Amino acid sequence: MLLHYSVSHLLESEGGPLAQVDARVKVLLSLLLLLLMALVPAGDLERVRRLASVVLVVVVVARVSLKALILRLLPLLPFAVLVLFIPFLHGGESLWRWGWLEITQPGLLRAQEVGMRMGAMGLTMAVLSATTPPGVVLQALRVLKVPGPLVETLAFMFRYLFLMIDEGQRMQRAWRGRGGEWSFSSLAQQSLGSLLALLFLRTYGRGERVYLAMLSRGYTQDRGKVELGEIPRTQWVGGAAVALSLVVIRYVP
Amino acid sequence: MHIPDGFIADPFIWGGCSVLSLLTLGLASRQVGTLWQERAPLLPAMTGAFLFAAQMFNFPVAGGTSGHLLGGLLACVLLGGWTGMLVTALVLTVQALLFQDGGVTALGANVFNMAVVGGGGAYLLYTRLAALSGSAGFRRAMLVLSGFVGVQAAAFLAGLEIGIGGVVPTHTALLAMSTVHLPIGLAEGVATAAIVGALQRLRPDLLMGAEPAVVPARVWALAGAGVMALAGLAVLFASSLPDGLEHVAEQLNFSSRAFAALPAPFPDYQLHEESPMWQKLLISAVGLVVVSGCMLVVQRLVTSMRRSS
């Protein structure tokens, strides 16, 4: 069995200067950066390059370890491979040809643009999640007016995720010991289906017990809220300045 | 199938998908309010975490590729259609925000593909098919089929969204996505059926959506309108190249002998050569309405004939 991606790195939040900045400021600025990048019209390589260099500066300033960034960018790998194929897929002026394989000028420009967009936007989110504890990122969604019950469900989901993974790894070890094998045929013969269903039930049982215990100790939706406190005035001003300069960098001709 | 940021180049595509997803999720959250209060966030959150955990494990499928469960249909069978869609959307949100799996600006498109169409749409199909027979084996087979169709539809949409933006030519994107997701769709269906079957034996009380519910007419109307809109959109990207028969006719030099027995009102979806986009859209809409009207009439006829016999 292969892990689609690892989650243990998520529990380790990196230090660095950006870790001190309020999560809401970081979330809003990251979303603004993503939005500005996504609104650059296709083919405008110059502006994509400008915004991508801003992201590179942020990465350097944040002083996040290379390992943390690479681990977080792993899910992008299949699409990075796809970017390598883009130069062959567009028609236009030919740069290199070998049999039916042909690299074209428009294809190469397109690949450059998509690669830069994807890399820069991925890095933005990677830096955000590397410098902010996951629970706090979810709580910061409340500034974006995401309804409270949804944020609570997200927080619960995140909490149970690790329970589920631990339980799953334990059960899988036992299943392997009994000769189970992770394959399509075992899925079809329902042994894997039963295992997954059992995983759900066992974690559900544990989750229910924990939740009832929380309720009996007086947990309510509001108590579960992580208080983020006031945003310091210096961070307001700094955040606004960064936002303004991002807009200027994007729109200045 | 989680499209990352930067792969949907056209702002109208990711913006439009986000609006569609928000509207559907808004509808969904109005429907699920009571469930959320009664059973607290426990069951939805557990289901979400389960989907999440199940998605992290890749299983090998034919041809050296690997795939993982998407789980939209599973969530709907566990929690009912509306809640299932909402939970799948929440899972996608966590993945985009914390795991960089799927983009943030592409979140609307990913939610639309995998939660709304791959989850809710597949579930709608399942309830329709499951109502045909009460046999457990038949229903399991229908789960496999609906799971497969849901994944294929989601993959098709993802290909279309990437293609329209021009990152990869549309036909290449569609072909690649559909082929890669053939085995994955099959595995999705089989896995969903296996998990639901096991849960039915062990804790049937937790399955809120396994019995085919009566779907209100307006939901069908909405889904129908959605399918029509998508089909209309697809017409715009219909290939202007000759189809198989036309190609053979041209190769064998008898295409010039072909003539229309009845002059078509809108040949090649155009009023005249090089019609603007809105005319093509209008014409495809008219065509779809006419075709579905004919199908409705045929269905009515067949039903009334059955009743009278």
Side-chain angles (χ1 to χ4, degrees):
Chain A
M1 184 190 62
L2 301 151
L3 259 185
H4 185 45
Y5 41 73
S6 130
V7 281
S8 52
H9 64 275
L10 262 177
L11 293 175
E12 305 154 14
S13 220
E14 302 262 321
L18 285 191
Q20 316 299 324
V21 181
D22 189 279
R24 286 160 290 185
V25 176
K26 278 187 283 187
V27 167
L28 286 177
L29 283 179
S30 309
L31 292 185
L32 176 70
L33 187 55
L34 294 188
L35 201 65
L36 287 177
M37 182 68 113
L39 285 174
V40 175
D44 194 343
L45 203 58
E46 168 59 30
R47 285 200 167 80
V48 172
R49 208 172 280 153
R50 265 191 235 163
L51 287 171
S53 19
V54 172
V55 175
L56 279 185
V57 171
V58 174
V59 171
V60 173
V61 170
R63 275 189 269 143
V64 180
S65 73
L66 198 62
K67 187 182 155 211
L69 285 182
I70 291 176
L71 278 176
R72 285 184 159 82
L73 289 180
L74 271 185
L76 291 182
L77 199 61
F79 285 89
V81 174
L82 189 58
V83 169
L84 295 181
F85 282 100
I86 293 180
F88 299 96
L89 296 174
H90 290 266
E93 191 195 331
S94 175
L95 290 179
W96 177 87
R97 196 181 187 123
W98 188 66
W100 51 270
L101 272 180
E102 186 184 22
I103 293 184
T104 61
Q105 177 75 18
L108 207 59
L109 287 178
R110 205 70 227 241
Q112 234 182 1
E113 186 194 324
V114 174
M116 262 198 285
R117 271 183 206 258
M118 185 181 77
M121 290 161 107
L123 272 176
T124 309
M125 290 311 288
V127 169
L128 171 69
S129 72
T131 56
T132 323
V136 183
V137 174
L138 296 181
Q139 294 298 330
L141 289 181
R142 288 182 198 259
V143 242
L144 296 171
K145 301 279 172 242
V146 177
L150 288 190
V151 177
E152 202 200 0
T153 311
L154 280 175
F156 263 98
M157 194 188 285
F158 190 72
R159 200 171 302 160
Y160 288 126
L161 176 63
F162 295 96
L163 198 68
M164 201 92 37
I165 291 169
D166 283 351
E167 192 79 50
Q169 276 169 348
R170 248 196 310 279
M171 286 174 66
Q172 196 186 300
R173 223 172 297 138
W175 182 59
R176 282 246 173 98
R178 295 192 301 268
E181 205 178 312
W182 195 267
S183 71
F184 189 76
S185 62
S186 67
L187 193 63
Q189 287 158 9
Q190 294 193 1
S191 87
L192 196 51
S194 307
L195 185 84
L196 286 174
L198 218 63
L199 166 65
F200 180 70
L201 290 180
R202 278 171 69 164
T203 331
Y204 183 75
R206 271 177 72 176
E208 202 172 27
R209 275 203 302 281
V210 171
Y211 185 65
L212 288 178
M214 281 165 70
L215 284 183
S216 68
R217 292 194 178 96
Y219 169 84
T220 57
Q221 226 182 69
D222 296 327
R223 292 239 180 143
K225 202 151 73 176
V226 177
E227 278 306 325
L228 292 176
E230 289 269 304
I231 302 176
R233 188 166 294 161
T234 46
Q235 293 197 9
W236 265 121
V237 176
V242 174
L244 194 69
S245 29
L246 281 178
V247 174
V248 169
I249 290 171
R250 155 69 178 83
Y251 283 100
V252 106
Chain B
M1 207 195 296
H2 295 58
I3 306 173
D5 280 319
F7 252 80
I8 306 178
D10 194 337
F12 286 105
I13 301 297
W14 60 257
C17 286
S18 306
V19 171
L20 277 179
S21 301
L22 271 180
L23 284 178
T24 321
L25 295 184
L27 257 179
S29 53
R30 270 180 50 189
Q31 307 283 333
V32 301
T34 48
L35 175 93
W36 230 272
Q37 277 153 19
E38 278 165 21
R39 304 193 66 156
L42 192 66
L43 193 54
M46 295 301 293
T47 312
F50 178 62
L51 290 193
F52 212 126
Q55 283 195 7
M56 291 200 321
F57 299 113
N58 278 357
F59 48 81
V61 278
T65 52
S66 68
H68 62 84
L69 196 73
L70 296 180
L73 177 60
L74 180 64
C76 289
V77 175
L78 271 168
L79 300 167
W82 295 112
T83 324
M85 270 198 283
L86 212 55
V87 165
T88 318
L90 287 182
V91 171
L92 292 168
T93 310
V94 172
Q95 286 174 329
L97 283 178
L98 302 179
F99 293 80
Q100 282 79 55
D101 197 11
V104 176
T105 57
L107 184 60
N110 284 329
V111 166
F112 186 70
N113 301 343
M114 287 185 267
V116 178
V117 175
Y123 180 65
L124 209 55
L125 180 68
Y126 167 69
T127 52
R128 186 79 189 130
L129 293 172
L132 295 176
S133 160
S135 115
F138 177 79
R139 287 199 175 163
R140 198 163 296 163
M142 290 309 106
L143 261 183
V144 176
L145 180 69
S146 315
F148 177 76
V149 171
V151 169
Q152 273 299 309
F156 179 84
L157 281 175
L160 202 63
E161 286 149 11
I162 293 176
I164 293 174
V167 169
V168 175
T170 311
H171 57 273
T172 317
L174 286 180
L175 189 70
M177 288 301 276
S178 302
T179 333
V180 167
H181 285 90
L182 279 177
I184 294 177
L186 190 64
E188 169 91 8
V190 172
T192 308
I195 295 171
V196 170
L199 279 178
Q200 241 154 5
R201 283 198 309 277
L202 300 167
R203 277 291 294 275
D205 59 307
L206 283 184
L207 288 169
M208 292 188 212
E211 282 302 307
V214 180
V215 179
R218 61 197 156 84
V219 175
W220 281 112
L222 261 181
V227 171
M228 297 264 273
L230 280 176
L233 201 68
V235 168
L236 292 182
F237 297 93
S239 172
S240 57
L241 296 172
D243 64 22
L245 185 62
E246 285 174 338
H247 181 69
V248 172
E250 273 167 24
Q251 290 271 308
L252 300 177
N253 272 331
F254 64 81
S255 65
S256 54
R257 295 199 204 163
F259 65 94
L262 274 175
F266 313 119
D268 286 339
Y269 300 103
Q270 306 200 22
L271 272 179
H272 41 79
E273 303 230 338
E274 298 305 316
S275 292
M277 194 68 117
W278 68 268
Q279 279 187 4
K280 285 192 189 178
L281 259 181
L282 190 70
I283 290 167
S284 55
V286 169
L288 284 167
V289 169
V290 170
V291 170
S292 18
C294 292
M295 280 160 71
L296 263 181
V297 170
V298 171
Q299 193 220 349
R300 284 278 154 84
L301 277 177
V302 171
T303 339
S304 66
M305 272 162 69
R306 262 198 206 158
R307 268 197 208 129
S308 59
S309 68

